[in-house]
């Protein structure tokens, strides 16, 4: 069953890098990304931050546990003049480098580790992934200042601030 997401979408994806400098990529079984390399991604759910969503989606799609280190970028667009489609691109590191990929076959047809150099020229990589792979994400990342405590008046139950240090 397709969920009604309204006309403003917020998604999160993660660049998960292993100790060899390779990124975790997946091929979706559906949508415009079907059969194309992309980053593990999905929609932010109610009561969830973008970094929580990225970690959850990566785990659901690949079985990989990771930690968000910072914000790399933000993709935003409008689909058919009516749907605001937004995606946070987060940089993540592995909890354990020895983890094995476990593909969630309902949504993902394939998952593997590839270098950014491979992805930048791979014809099966989606355009956003190619562009991100050509940049030096670790030098442009906004770091997570998760120790910041906002004013109590706002009632945040979780709060993150991503800024350039």
């Amino acid at each position: 069953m397709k969920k009604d997401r309204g006309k403003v979408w917020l998604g999160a994806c993660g660049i998960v890098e292993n100790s060899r400098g390779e990124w975790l990529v997946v091929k979706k079984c559906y949508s415009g990304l079907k059969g194309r390399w992309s980053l593990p991604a999905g929609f932010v759910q109610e009561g969830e931050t973008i970094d929580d969503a990225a970690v959850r989606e990566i785990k659901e799609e690949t079985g990989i546990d990771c930690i968000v280190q910072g914000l790399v970028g933000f993709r935003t667009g409008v689909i058919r003049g009516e749907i605001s489609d937004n995606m946070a691109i987060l940089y993540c590191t592995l909890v354990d480098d020895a983890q094995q990929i476990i593909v969630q076959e309902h949504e993902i047809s394939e998952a593997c580790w590839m270098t950014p150099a491979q992805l930048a020229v791979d014809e099966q990589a989606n355009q956003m992934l190619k562009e991100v792979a050509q940049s030096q994400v670790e030098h442009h990342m906004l770091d997570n200042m998760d120790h910041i405590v906002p004013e109590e008046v706002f009632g945040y139950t979780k709060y993150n601030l991503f800024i350039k240090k």
Side-chain angles (χ1 to χ4, degrees):
M1 179 189 333
K2 189 173 182 175
K3 293 183 181 178
D4 181 14
R5 302 204 181 281
K7 295 193 182 244
V8 178
W9 297 351
L10 179 59
C13 66
I15 297 170
V16 182
E17 188 169 37
N18 66 22
S19 63
R20 296 176 303 281
E22 298 166 319
W23 292 0
L24 179 63
V25 291
V26 299
K27 285 186 179 177
K28 303 274 187 188
C29 294
Y30 60 92
S31 80
L33 294 175
K34 183 177 182 177
R36 309 282 312 265
W37 290 120
S38 64
L39 297 169
F43 290 103
V44 177
Q45 296 177 354
E46 188 175 320
E48 192 175 53
T49 62
I50 60 169
D51 47 312
D52 288 339
V55 169
R56 176 184 49 77
E57 286 290 342
I58 292 162
K59 177 72 171 179
E60 286 177 3
E61 294 181 0
T62 68
I64 296 294
D65 291 308
C66 64
I67 300 167
V68 172
Q69 301 296 332
L71 180 67
V72 172
F74 200 83
R75 189 237 336 122
T76 185
V78 176
I79 300 170
R80 292 182 295 280
E82 62 184 49
I83 297 172
S84 175
D85 182 21
N86 306 284
M87 174 80 69
I89 307 164
L90 296 145
Y91 178 75
C92 308
T93 54
L94 293 171
V95 169
D96 177 5
D97 214 40
Q99 296 177 81
Q100 298 296 310
I101 296 171
I102 302 168
V103 173
Q104 191 244 37
E105 296 176 356
H106 176 69
E107 291 185 37
I108 306 300
S109 64
E110 200 174 338
C112 70
W113 296 100
M114 295 176 75
T115 66
Q118 290 171 308
L119 292 166
V121 297
D122 192 307
E123 290 183 19
Q124 293 182 340
N126 75 20
Q127 192 61 41
M128 184 188 86
L129 181 56
K130 285 182 178 186
E131 294 297 325
V132 174
Q134 291 176 38
S135 68
Q136 294 185 351
V137 297
E138 64 277 5
H139 299 298
H140 302 291
M141 180 174 64
L142 299 178
D143 297 306
N144 186 358
M145 305 296 289
D146 58 1
H147 63 279
I148 304 295
V149 180
E151 295 84 355
E152 286 185 32
V153 68
F154 295 111
Y156 285 105
T157 54
K158 184 167 183 180
Y159 185 85
N160 293 301
L161 175 63
F162 292 93
I163 61 172
K164 186 73 175 165
K165 286 186 184 177

